[in-house]
Amino acid sequence: MASPAMESFDLVITNGVCVTASDVAAFDVAIKDEKIVLLAPTGSLASANATRIIDAEGGYVTPGGIDAHVHLQEPPMFGKGTTSDNFESGTRSAIAGGVTTIVPFAPQQKHEPSLLKALAETHDKARDNSYCDYGFHLLVGNPSEQALAELDTIPQEQGITSLKIYMTYTALQLRDDQILSVLLKAREKRILTMIHAENGDVLNWLTDQLEARRLFDPKYHSHSRPPILEAEATNRAIALSSIIANTPILLVHVSDPGAAARIRQAQTNGQPVFAETCPQYLFLTRDDLESCSGFDGAKHVCSPPPRDRASQDAIWTGVKNGTFTILSSDHCPFNFDDADSGKKACITEEHPVGRFRHIPNGIPGIETRLPLIFSSSDRLPLTKIVEVSATNPAKLYGLYPRKGAMIPGVSDADLVVWYPHDTGRSITITNGALHHATDYTPYEGQTVNNWPRFTVLRGKVVWDKDNGGILGDKSYGQFLKRLPTSLDGIWDTVDKQGPFDVSAF
Ligand code: URP
Ligand code: ZN
Ligand code: ZN
């Protein structure tokens, strides 16, 4: 390579402090042809030959965020209601919040036998409609013979190496024997299985009990889903994966310390059990739902529900000690003030404050995830924040080191330039300042001390908070074919163990 003084670059970021999952150090970053090509001593590229030079003014520079749990343009599956963000609005919101890659779901509904059809339909929704790069997880609602056969070729041919299954929701819940069939196929094909662990039968029974006592308000959503119901399902999910010769699983959106403790125990036993948590379990509590008057609590209805303050503390500890591999938003937005397909679709004359069993489950959060967690450097090292929000999602979902890293010559130039860090800065989150198409944020009024100043996707500045806001366009985002997870060499370990053998029991 020519010396940096002679080389020409597309973009240089000077005077920044780079934060990766392992280091915090001042470097200038040079970008060419969509890649990071050089990290150089700080200030050394300030007058480089570059189409554009951004002065980070001492602010942190991090890999672009990866949000690996996002629901966009999905049909009603989580109660009565349709997600309010499509690919265009959801990914617009993503880049304004420093997210350069998302992994949303390609949902297969119960009445559909095919996964490939679900995948094709989701490609049609996303194509030319995404401001950021994206892959897909399959959401398996019907593990039919056809669906399981399609999984033989999907990882290699389609670049989809993860799927999600549910232990709850009438529209999606699988029986244990169906879960075992999915896990077996996933093990054979090196697919990571994401599991929504709540006991659907128990929560339906508790819901019937609450309704028999005429307790319909939004706040009873959390009463219908006590922590033990999550811990039981988590324990069962881990047991089922151990039956399938320890096939790797990821427990999604974990909220309960009991569930986290069971996950930690499995990890200590050497089982390939991973876990995700979300900002709603770090920044919201059950009180946010309980203290709302009337139907307002519906703004906080998601599953599992936010827990009490002690649980919140335990989940923070789990992020810090590595029980949680990733932090995702679980952006699953529904408009609040929408009686046709939003939260208010459950309001009737008979139930003027709604019926919690029909409130669509899910909250928005794609844009607020990184500002919230990045403002928590008093609770977590900056390296850990980058690890759980960018680097580990890239490793877990087969995108590393192209994504989630800052390796010259290798990594895409996906970066966030933050404002110079000042813990005294206070930015109040308001829905009016966000870029999704949803009419509220559950974080309204919470304060953060930083926000992405610039978001760079494959070398292009797609978000400039102070000069134009959204600068990217919705046809720039690319579909990413993914490889099997590279985290902890887990597939090598699984291979060494040999195939599932029922006669071994
Ligand atoms: O309440 C939630 N989490 N809604 C989204 C659907 C899901 O299970 O992730
Ligand atoms: Zn879920
Ligand atoms: Zn979800």
Side-chain angles (χ1 to χ4, degrees), residues 69 71 78 164 166 169 196 253 301-304 330 332 361-362:
H69 190 149
H71 302 262
F78 313 117
K164 182 177 176 187
Y166 284 79
Y169 294 123
H196 180 132
H253 47 52
V301 166
C302 59
S303 290
D330 192 8
C332 186
N361 286 205

Side-chain angles (χ1 to χ4, degrees), residues 223-403:
H223 295 239
S224 70
R225 289 156 172 81
I228 187 68
L229 175 155
E230 183 185 348
E232 183 281 324
T234 300
N235 184 52
R236 186 154 38 101
I238 292 170
L240 295 177
S241 92
S242 78
I243 288 172
I244 305 300
N246 281 333
T247 196
I249 56 169
L250 171 92
L251 280 308
V252 290
H253 47 52
V254 174
S255 70
D256 167 48
R262 181 65 189 92
I263 290 162
R264 184 104 179 132
Q265 183 193 35
Q267 292 168 343
T268 304
N269 289 342
Q271 287 176 254
V273 172
F274 299 93
E276 168 198 77
T277 193
C278 311
Q280 47 271 41
Y281 309 118
L282 300 174
F283 297 95
L284 300 177
T285 65
R286 178 182 168 130
D287 288 348
D288 291 300
L289 171 60
E290 300 255 342
S291 64
C292 286
S293 61
F295 189 66
D296 269 18
K299 290 180 179 171
H300 300 277
V301 166
C302 59
S303 290
R307 309 290 185 188
D308 60 14
R309 185 71 61 190
S311 303
Q312 198 190 59
D313 283 343
I315 299 300
W316 275 108
T317 302
V319 176
K320 198 164 177 185
N321 72 17
T323 306
F324 295 105
T325 302
I326 59 171
L327 177 89
S328 314
S329 70
D330 192 8
H331 180 80
C332 186
F334 298 92
N335 276 324
F336 176 69
D337 205 7
D338 177 344
D340 293 324
S341 55
K343 297 277 186 184
K344 289 190 176 168
C346 69
I347 294 181
T348 58
E349 242 171 69
E350 195 194 340
H351 298 288
V353 280
R355 219 174 143 184
F356 75 84
R357 82 179 321 147
H358 293 313
I359 298 174
N361 286 205
I363 57 176
I366 201 166
E367 190 169 341
T368 43
R369 178 187 69 128
L370 288 179
L372 283 165
I373 193 74
F374 207 72
S375 300
S376 306
S377 54
D378 54 333
R379 299 197 74 141
L380 293 176
L382 285 170
T383 47
K384 174 58 84 177
I385 292 172
V386 169
E387 181 182 298
V388 296
S389 63
T391 307
N392 276 354
K395 290 180 177 175
L396 193 65
Y397 293 118
L399 293 167
Y400 187 84
R402 178 177 171 193
K403 302 291 189 187

